[in-house]
Amino acid sequence: MQVPSPSMREAASMYGTAVAVFLVILVAALQGSGPPESPFPYRIPLDPEGTLELSWNVSYAHETVYFQLLVRELKAGVLFGMSDRGEMENADLAVLWTNGDRAYFADAWSDQKGQVHLDAQQDYQLLQAQRTPQGLSLLFRRPFSTCDPRDYLIEDGTVHLVYGILEQPFSSLEAINTSGLRTGLQRVQLLKPNISIPALPADVRTMEVRAPDVLIPGQETTYWCYMTELPPDFPRHHIVMYEPIVTVGNEALVHHMEVFQCAAGFQSFPHFSGPCDSKMKPERLNYCRHVLAAWALGAKAFYYPEEAGLAFGGAGSSRFLRLEVHYHNPRKIQGRRDSSGIRLYYTATLRRFDAGIMELGLVYTPVMAIPPQEAAFVLTGYCTDKCTQLALPPSGIHIFASQLHTHLTGRKVVTVLARDGRERAIVNRDDHYSPHFQEIRMLKKIVSVHPGDVLITSCTYNTEDRELATVGGFGILEEMCVNYVHYYPQTQLELCKSAVDAGFLRKYFHLVNSFNSEEVCTCPQASVPQQFASVPWNSFSRSVLQALYGFAPLDMHCNKSSAVRFQGEWDRQPLPKIVSQLQAPAPRCPASQGLSPAGPTVANISGGQG
Amino acid sequence: MQVPSPSMREAASMYGTAVAVFLVILVAALQGSGPPESPFPYRIPLDPEGTLELSWNVSYAHETVYFQLLVRELKAGVLFGMSDRGEMENADLAVLWTNGDRAYFADAWSDQKGQVHLDAQQDYQLLQAQRTPQGLSLLFRRPFSTCDPRDYLIEDGTVHLVYGILEQPFSSLEAINTSGLRTGLQRVQLLKPNISIPALPADVRTMEVRAPDVLIPGQETTYWCYMTELPPDFPRHHIVMYEPIVTVGNEALVHHMEVFQCAAGFQSFPHFSGPCDSKMKPERLNYCRHVLAAWALGAKAFYYPEEAGLAFGGAGSSRFLRLEVHYHNPRKIQGRRDSSGIRLYYTATLRRFDAGIMELGLVYTPVMAIPPQEAAFVLTGYCTDKCTQLALPPSGIHIFASQLHTHLTGRKVVTVLARDGRERAIVNRDDHYSPHFQEIRMLKKIVSVHPGDVLITSCTYNTEDRELATVGGFGILEEMCVNYVHYYPQTQLELCKSAVDAGFLRKYFHLVNSFNSEEVCTCPQASVPQQFASVPWNSFSRSVLQALYGFAPLDMHCNKSSAVRFQGEWDRQPLPKIVSQLQAPAPRCPASQGLSPAGPTVANISGGQG
């Protein structure tokens, strides 16, 4: 890259004329190697106007992210950084600013009031700044972990990027408060796995499964069911890729979509297009539960690994498909029409393995509930050793992708594999999970699950804005805790989930009654949601519910595709015992610690050509 | 201090002749200021033979401890350091060692197997080493906090010092394992308050209150009661100091001692010398509960502040005193005789304020219990706003000293002052508390308590070596959670403690029954300890007990000296609500971070005169 020599005077005069173009900034303390030779494969606009565009690359060898921030129409500077959930307070920031005379670059942080402060340790390292025809291009890097307690730890999973635009000069870094700026956030998986996208086969064909001109109901939550079918005599194929088709203008309404294949036992299925909970919906549609494709808000195209594809068509499988579209319409917009769906890419040249999708986590039932006003309440669903013993082949299965799913209060999701009572591997973890960014993510490393293994899926919820308990269920204001894992070779096991035993929950309502003067309605005709709604939430009822979920036996759902359980006793199953937990690795501090500049670097501004 | 220049060659030859005297070691990287001008006011032998003697001083301005370690009969080196509870594993160590050629000094740590490793950051700083007639004197310093995750954080309260003696050279630091060494521990309050000892008045007199040649019973726990009396017409005096008198040879048997004054309402009290739980003990002795002096294992002389003294004698107060000696005799030694007691120093020149002692924490009752196999179970006792409102003067009281007390499983104790639901101040905290080191400690800063304030005393217990629940009570295998606070001006309030409401505990036993197949004996004739002994301890019964203690109403003891409660309703009192907790201050990292040597310093050995 071009590194012109600095010329401060020229720049100062340029600033004086309000041209306000930062041309080339070179940090004196630049040390070590430059960016990797490859370009920046990932790119995302940060703000809705596209003023700020971020490209990045990841060096796993150096545990460092290289950022290239393109700033179009630069004014007096820019803030870029990361925070827990996209807030501008308590954020870890790289700041480029000018006092009208000189320009500076610094690693900074914002306190809980949004006030910006210099970091004691400078870990965002400016490598280069260059004028390009598009705008100022800033190149900088940041280690995953810095050991500076003010810094964000870059981990797998969702990262909430934040930005702010400085419209005029600031006398000092400490004079900046994020509350006065134009700011925003963008969610992204920063640490993309370095897996190359498999090439599509030459004979690839496509098929669209779309809702036929649906009038979206003017209600908050609608699950729309639409039945379609494969052409007659459609032979066995492998789906190798699929991507969403979202009707333009409805991007905020289409929450998630799934394509299910119906059970092979039935000769035909009635046609239907309507709400899934409609009384008009034919009963038989409940036998269409074999997932072919799943998409949710924020996801892009999904590619199968080169050795596997998702089988559909041919003898012994149903020609009938059910598309389910979850419309989330909180503003209850009336009269909107939609034809969203999924485009399947498939090949007749079958790959070595059939792939499958399995649902892990919690059953959709109100017995699993989160008290209101909880900052971080954890619910856990199990896939027990008994179920994997029965349903998995002796050589096991290989999970290659995962999609985490909760509704609005979900904040973290993790699935852990345990064997012989010991946690062995993380299947997928997102400590900054957002229900608004549900991607299907390829795993960095394939996780193999053997018969007798246990899969434990835990979701952390924040219900600080709720007044009543949030129960499990299908509604957007109810909750889910699901990990859709994508794996091969395919098995009959489609769903391996749990919930607390209902009898133990009844005991819970009784004991809450005996400890409180207020009565919980425990009469037989009261529904579980009604009973939860009448619990007086105090430290005792909260702690005991948490203790109950960590102790009471399970109602296991170890199900085949046709909503049929595997044979066996699945009620009152013991909770898996975990005797040793995985330890989070101690963050490695970068070797450069203490050698980076201790304060802001003067960014010498000079004229030059990009 | 003398700093001769290094002379390495000479030293090497000296080591070669096995003289093995380390004479003067000067660290090249020595930076900044030397030790403060004052000498080392605190001194303690580390090992039973007195081979290692530690002196130290504290600079609160620099948040640094200066150590002077005297090593008599030095062999091949020495380890000195700190660890959580005195173990040699996971310890933070300063190591002086030789490989037979050169000598080295380094900041190191031991892993969980006792293997010694070099610290990435060198925070023990050697300032000087000097031969003295007594032995090698090492002078080094250490900041309270270092921000090195391997380092011990030096805090208020007990510090467990550890040492190890190197008998022969080691090729490298990593070759040392503490398990093969002669090692030991010594408990000490490292951060002594810098309060000067008040001068005793010129007219000071002494009085000994001693057990009269007691034959210590051959049982584990004995509380010995002995009645004595002041001379007739003994006028009002102020106790200004007291100190223990422990019969030589019985140092390990005398666990703690207290001197109580009897209630003024009675003309006389019977003489008695015998176990406090004896059937022969006159009932009236229960009216001798006003504490005059309290000593426990590890404490030294106790001085009152210059403005206060503890009143005794004179009209309106009883002439009768009860000495209570707690003998702890786990080996059930027979035939040992004891005349231990307390020597009171008193003056007729009354000071401005009468001082008092108040007991905070938990009532001695089995309703407060710790499940077995708990690593850190917390019990909390309250002194409620209702009690302080009733019992304290409008201008409040001033706590100047505190003695924390638990039995064998106690690991941490803290008392916090709360006002209007907000925690305001720590009265006393010991995160490395040991029941074997119960000193009366002067507070660094006097804490004022006003009517309406709440005092919350929490004890953390470790019952990993217990098979049954540990209940509250007087026995050494039962537990206590007490903070004796020393304060002025004196009030009638002698005891402000709580326990969980017994009715709520009964509900707990019932609910544990309903959630378990095993039956807890809840029949009316079963005692609380019996009921606790039959609880099946699992995650649910443990969590619910903890939740119960954090929720159920209190049985308050808001008592005057004569075991009489203040007037009012003290049953089923609400738990104080705390809406904001004190935040632990973020440890300040020393400014020298990153500038200290990154590895061991070669300790150049030379001949010279001390």
Side-chain angles (χ1 to χ4, degrees):
Chain A
M1 301 210 184
Q2 199 181 343
V3 183
S5 59
S7 162
M8 202 168 78
R9 202 174 305 141
E10 188 176 342
S13 76
M14 284 184 73
Y15 197 91
T17 59
V19 176
V21 274
F22 294 57
L23 286 171
V24 175
I25 302 170
L26 178 66
V27 178
L30 193 152
Q31 36 153 321
S33 58
E37 302 219 359
S38 64
F40 296 94
Y42 315 116
R43 183 175 301 188
I44 199 166
L46 290 183
D47 61 321
E49 293 76 29
T51 313
L52 300 175
E53 187 176 87
L54 183 75
S55 306
W56 77 96
N57 200 359
V58 182
S59 164
Y60 284 97
H62 296 102
E63 298 196 338
T64 294
V65 182
Y66 289 86
F67 294 101
Q68 189 174 48
L69 182 63
L70 176 67
V71 187
R72 299 182 220 268
E73 305 156 28
L74 177 66
K75 292 178 179 163
V78 65
L79 278 65
F80 166 81
M82 302 167 243
S83 68
D84 182 30
R85 306 203 60 79
E87 63 284 3
M88 292 303 298
E89 299 77 29
N90 302 313
D92 177 9
L93 298 168
V95 184
L96 178 76
W97 85 99
T98 178
N99 57 8
D101 182 17
R102 291 183 178 190
Y104 299 90
F105 179 91
D107 185 358
W109 58 281
S110 61
D111 63 23
Q112 55 190 1
K113 292 175 175 167
Q115 164 79 54
V116 176
H117 305 277
L118 183 70
D119 258 328
Q121 196 177 299
Q122 295 286 300
D123 296 291
Y124 280 106
Q125 258 193 298
L126 183 62
L127 301 175
Q128 198 187 53
Q130 200 166 10
R131 187 171 65 167
T132 72
Q134 289 78 40
L136 178 73
S137 167
L138 288 175
L139 177 67
F140 51 98
R141 67 177 176 192
R142 167 68 155 64
F144 296 175
S145 85
T146 67
C147 293
D148 180 341
R150 299 291 184 193
D151 280 356
Y152 182 90
L153 175 65
I154 302 176
E155 294 170 296
D156 288 345
T158 308
V159 175
H160 289 72
L161 302 177
V162 297
Y163 65 87
I165 291 165
L166 299 180
E167 310 267 357
Q168 82 273 339
F170 281 88
S171 59
S172 73
L173 184 71
E174 303 274 331
I176 304 173
N177 190 304
T178 60
S179 63
L181 308 179
R182 182 151 64 91
T183 62
L185 74 93
Q186 181 67 280
R187 296 182 186 93
V188 75
Q189 181 191 24
L190 212 47
L191 302 189
K192 299 277 188 195
N194 42 5
I195 296 165
S196 51
I197 289 175
L200 292 176
D203 62 349
V204 73
R205 301 182 60 187
T206 66
M207 174 188 299
E208 294 186 356
V209 182
R210 296 169 64 170
D213 198 29
V214 168
L215 181 64
I216 301 177
Q219 63 193 36
E220 180 153 341
T221 300
T222 303
Y223 281 81
W224 195 270
C225 278
Y226 168 67
M227 293 297 294
T228 183
E229 58 194 273
L230 300 177
D233 301 320
F234 185 78
R236 186 174 174 84
H237 286 81
H238 266 168
I239 298 170
V240 294
M241 191 268 260
Y242 58 84
E243 61 188 12
I245 319 161
V246 177
T247 299
V248 174
N250 294 347
E251 290 82 355
L253 295 172
V254 181
H255 187 266
H256 67 254
M257 301 186 283
E258 287 180 87
V259 178
F260 299 94
Q261 192 167 35
C262 299
F266 299 90
Q267 278 302 315
S268 76
F269 281 80
H271 280 269
F272 180 74
S273 185
C276 298
D277 60 355
S278 161
K279 286 176 187 164
M280 304 294 288
K281 190 187 80 167
E283 194 59 32
R284 190 167 284 185
L285 268 54
N286 293 334
Y287 293 90
C288 304
R289 289 170 167 266
H290 173 76
V291 179
L292 281 191
W295 170 90
L297 207 65
K300 294 206 170 77
F302 182 80
Y303 289 82
Y304 280 87
E306 269 170 304
E307 60 273 35
L310 189 67
F312 78 138
S317 80
S318 174
R319 283 174 53 220
F320 294 91
L321 305 180
R322 178 167 66 93
L323 172 69
E324 188 175 299
V325 182
H326 177 185
Y327 294 110
H328 175 49
N329 184 4
R331 296 167 143 205
K332 298 177 181 167
I333 298 165
Q334 301 273 357
R336 190 72 67 90
R337 294 200 166 265
D338 184 71
S339 301
S340 295
I342 287 178
R343 184 180 295 120
L344 305 172
Y345 289 69
Y346 60 95
T347 171
T349 317
L350 297 184
R351 291 178 167 183
R352 185 174 166 206
F353 294 112
D354 285 342
I357 302 173
M358 191 188 300
E359 209 176 316
L360 304 175
L362 285 178
V363 180
Y364 309 135
T365 158
V367 299
M368 300 304 298
I370 308 132
Q373 309 290 327
E374 291 279 349
F377 196 89
V378 179
L379 293 182
T380 300
Y382 297 88
C383 177
T384 59
D385 54 340
K386 187 170 169 180
C387 181
T388 61
Q389 193 75 58
L390 206 62
L392 300 192
S395 58
I397 58 167
H398 311 289
I399 302 177
F400 58 87
S402 156
Q403 182 190 16
L404 308 175
H405 179 66
T406 74
H407 285 171
L408 298 175
T409 69
R411 294 293 180 270
K412 296 182 184 188
V413 185
V414 61
T415 297
V416 178
L417 171 84
R419 187 172 297 155
D420 303 325
R422 294 170 175 277
E423 293 186 356
R424 302 298 178 106
I426 303 286
V427 177
N428 195 4
R429 150 171 254 144
D430 193 343
D431 278 353
H432 305 274
Y433 172 85
S434 167
H436 307 295
F437 190 58
Q438 302 184 10
E439 295 181 303
I440 297 175
R441 290 185 181 145
M442 298 301 287
L443 302 188
K444 290 202 164 58
K445 208 180 147 195
I446 283 179
V447 175
S448 297
V449 186
H450 294 284
D453 286 356
V454 176
L455 291 161
I456 306 167
T457 301
S458 293
C459 295
T460 305
Y461 301 95
N462 181 307
T463 57
E464 288 179 302
D465 63 347
R466 302 274 171 106
E467 293 303 318
L468 291 173
T470 299
V471 298
F474 289 92
I476 191 70
L477 292 176
E478 298 172 330
E479 268 304 342
M480 293 188 172
C481 179
V482 176
N483 184 355
Y484 298 97
V485 293
H486 297 250
Y487 72 95
Y488 63 85
Q490 191 184 21
T491 70
Q492 284 197 294
L493 185 63
E494 278 233 332
L495 191 154
C496 190
K497 307 202 295 185
S498 72
V500 72
D501 174 82
F504 270 73
L505 186 68
R506 276 194 298 275
K507 290 187 191 194
Y508 169 77
F509 290 127
H510 280 288
L511 93 84
V512 168
N513 261 355
S514 80
F515 274 82
N516 286 283
S517 46
E518 304 160 62
E519 279 282 291
V520 181
C521 181
T522 51
C523 38
Q525 59 270 39
S527 69
V528 168
Q530 284 170 331
Q531 288 178 301
F532 270 118
S534 64
V535 168
W537 293 111
N538 53 49
S539 70
F540 187 71
S541 56
R542 291 167 193 274
S543 300
V544 177
L545 184 65
Q546 187 88 82
L548 178 91
Y549 288 147
F551 170 74
L554 301 175
D555 177 18
M556 264 308 298
H557 287 217
C558 179
N559 289 17
K560 300 181 187 182
S561 35
S562 44
V564 173
R565 295 193 187 189
F566 276 84
Q567 272 216 324
E569 176 59 44
W570 299 110
D571 291 347
R572 294 211 163 211
Q573 295 297 296
L575 268 190
K577 283 211 178 71
I578 300 303
V579 295
S580 90
Q581 296 188 301
L582 280 178
Q583 296 302 314
R588 268 185 272 174
C589 304
S592 62
Q593 190 189 346
L595 298 174
S596 54
T601 41
V602 175
N604 296 312
I605 307 164
S606 71
Q609 284 303 316
Chain B
M1 300 209 184
Q2 197 184 346
V3 183
S5 60
S7 161
M8 199 169 80
R9 201 175 304 141
E10 189 177 341
S13 77
M14 281 184 72
Y15 197 89
T17 60
V19 176
V21 273
F22 294 56
L23 287 171
V24 176
I25 303 172
L26 178 66
V27 177
L30 192 152
Q31 35 153 323
S33 58
E37 302 219 0
S38 64
F40 297 92
Y42 314 115
R43 183 175 300 188
I44 198 166
L46 290 182
D47 60 323
E49 293 76 28
T51 313
L52 300 174
E53 187 176 86
L54 183 75
S55 306
W56 78 97
N57 200 358
V58 182
S59 164
Y60 284 98
H62 296 102
E63 299 196 338
T64 294
V65 183
Y66 290 86
F67 294 102
Q68 188 173 48
L69 181 63
L70 176 67
V71 188
R72 300 182 218 269
E73 305 156 26
L74 177 65
K75 291 178 181 163
V78 66
L79 278 66
F80 165 81
M82 302 167 245
S83 68
D84 182 31
R85 305 203 62 79
E87 63 283 3
M88 292 303 299
E89 299 77 30
N90 302 313
D92 178 8
L93 298 168
V95 184
L96 178 76
W97 84 99
T98 179
N99 57 8
D101 182 16
R102 291 184 178 190
Y104 299 90
F105 179 91
D107 185 358
W109 59 282
S110 62
D111 62 23
Q112 54 190 2
K113 290 176 177 165
Q115 164 79 54
V116 176
H117 304 276
L118 184 69
D119 258 328
Q121 196 176 300
Q122 295 287 299
D123 296 292
Y124 280 107
Q125 259 192 299
L126 184 61
L127 300 175
Q128 198 188 52
Q130 199 166 11
R131 187 172 63 169
T132 72
Q134 289 77 39
L136 177 74
S137 166
L138 289 174
L139 177 66
F140 52 99
R141 67 179 176 191
R142 167 67 156 67
F144 296 176
S145 85
T146 67
C147 293
D148 179 342
R150 299 289 185 194
D151 280 356
Y152 182 90
L153 175 64
I154 302 176
E155 295 170 296
D156 288 345
T158 308
V159 175
H160 290 73
L161 302 176
V162 297
Y163 65 87
I165 290 164
L166 300 180
E167 309 268 357
Q168 82 272 337
F170 280 88
S171 59
S172 74
L173 184 71
E174 303 273 332
I176 303 173
N177 190 304
T178 60
S179 63
L181 309 178
R182 182 152 64 91
T183 62
L185 74 93
Q186 181 68 279
R187 296 183 186 93
V188 76
Q189 181 191 23
L190 213 46
L191 301 189
K192 298 276 188 197
N194 41 7
I195 296 165
S196 53
I197 289 174
L200 292 177
D203 63 348
V204 71
R205 300 182 60 188
T206 67
M207 174 188 299
E208 294 186 354
V209 182
R210 296 168 65 169
D213 198 29
V214 167
L215 181 63
I216 301 177
Q219 64 194 34
E220 180 153 341
T221 300
T222 302
Y223 281 80
W224 195 269
C225 277
Y226 167 67
M227 293 297 294
T228 182
E229 58 194 272
L230 299 177
D233 301 319
F234 185 78
R236 186 173 172 87
H237 287 81
H238 266 167
I239 298 171
V240 294
M241 192 269 262
Y242 58 84
E243 61 187 12
I245 319 160
V246 177
T247 299
V248 174
N250 292 347
E251 289 83 356
L253 295 173
V254 180
H255 187 266
H256 68 255
M257 300 186 285
E258 287 180 86
V259 178
F260 299 93
Q261 192 167 35
C262 299
F266 300 90
Q267 280 300 316
S268 76
F269 280 82
H271 280 268
F272 179 74
S273 185
C276 298
D277 60 355
S278 160
K279 285 175 188 166
M280 305 293 289
K281 190 187 79 166
E283 194 59 33
R284 189 166 285 186
L285 268 55
N286 292 334
Y287 293 90
C288 304
R289 288 169 167 266
H290 174 76
V291 179
L292 281 191
W295 170 90
L297 206 65
K300 295 206 170 75
F302 182 78
Y303 288 83
Y304 281 87
E306 268 169 305
E307 61 273 35
L310 189 67
F312 76 139
S317 81
S318 174
R319 284 175 53 221
F320 294 91
L321 305 180
R322 177 167 68 92
L323 171 69
E324 188 175 299
V325 182
H326 177 185
Y327 294 110
H328 174 48
N329 185 4
R331 294 167 144 203
K332 299 177 179 167
I333 298 166
Q334 301 274 356
R336 189 73 67 90
R337 295 201 165 265
D338 184 71
S339 300
S340 295
I342 287 178
R343 184 180 295 118
L344 305 173
Y345 288 68
Y346 60 96
T347 170
T349 317
L350 296 183
R351 291 177 168 183
R352 184 173 167 207
F353 295 112
D354 286 342
I357 302 173
M358 190 187 300
E359 210 177 315
L360 304 175
L362 285 178
V363 180
Y364 309 136
T365 158
V367 301
M368 301 304 297
I370 307 131
Q373 309 289 327
E374 292 280 349
F377 197 88
V378 179
L379 293 182
T380 299
Y382 297 88
C383 177
T384 60
D385 54 341
K386 185 170 171 180
C387 181
T388 60
Q389 193 74 56
L390 206 63
L392 300 191
S395 58
I397 58 167
H398 311 288
I399 302 177
F400 58 87
S402 157
Q403 182 190 16
L404 308 175
H405 178 65
T406 74
H407 286 170
L408 298 175
T409 69
R411 295 291 180 272
K412 297 182 183 187
V413 185
V414 60
T415 296
V416 178
L417 171 85
R419 187 173 297 156
D420 304 325
R422 294 170 176 276
E423 293 186 357
R424 302 298 178 106
I426 302 287
V427 177
N428 195 3
R429 152 172 251 144
D430 194 343
D431 278 352
H432 304 275
Y433 172 85
S434 168
H436 306 297
F437 189 58
Q438 301 184 9
E439 294 182 303
I440 298 176
R441 289 184 182 148
M442 298 301 285
L443 302 188
K444 290 202 163 59
K445 210 180 147 193
I446 283 180
V447 176
S448 297
V449 186
H450 294 283
D453 286 355
V454 177
L455 292 161
I456 305 167
T457 301
S458 294
C459 295
T460 305
Y461 302 95
N462 180 308
T463 57
E464 288 179 302
D465 63 348
R466 302 273 171 106
E467 293 303 317
L468 292 174
T470 299
V471 297
F474 289 93
I476 191 70
L477 292 176
E478 297 172 332
E479 267 305 341
M480 292 188 172
C481 178
V482 176
N483 184 355
Y484 298 97
V485 292
H486 298 249
Y487 71 96
Y488 64 85
Q490 191 184 22
T491 71
Q492 285 198 294
L493 185 63
E494 278 233 333
L495 191 154
C496 190
K497 308 202 296 185
S498 73
V500 72
D501 173 82
F504 271 74
L505 187 67
R506 276 193 297 275
K507 291 187 191 193
Y508 169 77
F509 291 127
H510 280 288
L511 94 83
V512 168
N513 261 357
S514 81
F515 275 83
N516 287 283
S517 46
E518 304 159 62
E519 280 282 293
V520 181
C521 182
T522 51
C523 38
Q525 60 270 39
S527 68
V528 168
Q530 283 170 330
Q531 288 177 301
F532 270 120
S534 64
V535 168
W537 292 111
N538 52 49
S539 70
F540 188 70
S541 55
R542 290 167 193 274
S543 301
V544 177
L545 184 64
Q546 187 89 82
L548 179 91
Y549 288 148
F551 169 74
L554 301 175
D555 178 17
M556 263 308 297
H557 288 217
C558 179
N559 290 16
K560 300 181 188 185
S561 37
S562 46
V564 172
R565 295 191 188 190
F566 277 84
Q567 273 217 323
E569 177 58 46
W570 301 109
D571 290 346
R572 293 209 165 213
Q573 296 297 295
L575 268 191
K577 283 211 179 74
I578 300 302
V579 295
S580 89
Q581 295 188 300
L582 280 177
Q583 296 301 315
R588 266 185 274 175
C589 304
S592 63
Q593 190 189 346
L595 297 175
S596 54
T601 41
V602 175
N604 295 314
I605 307 165
S606 71
Q609 285 302 317

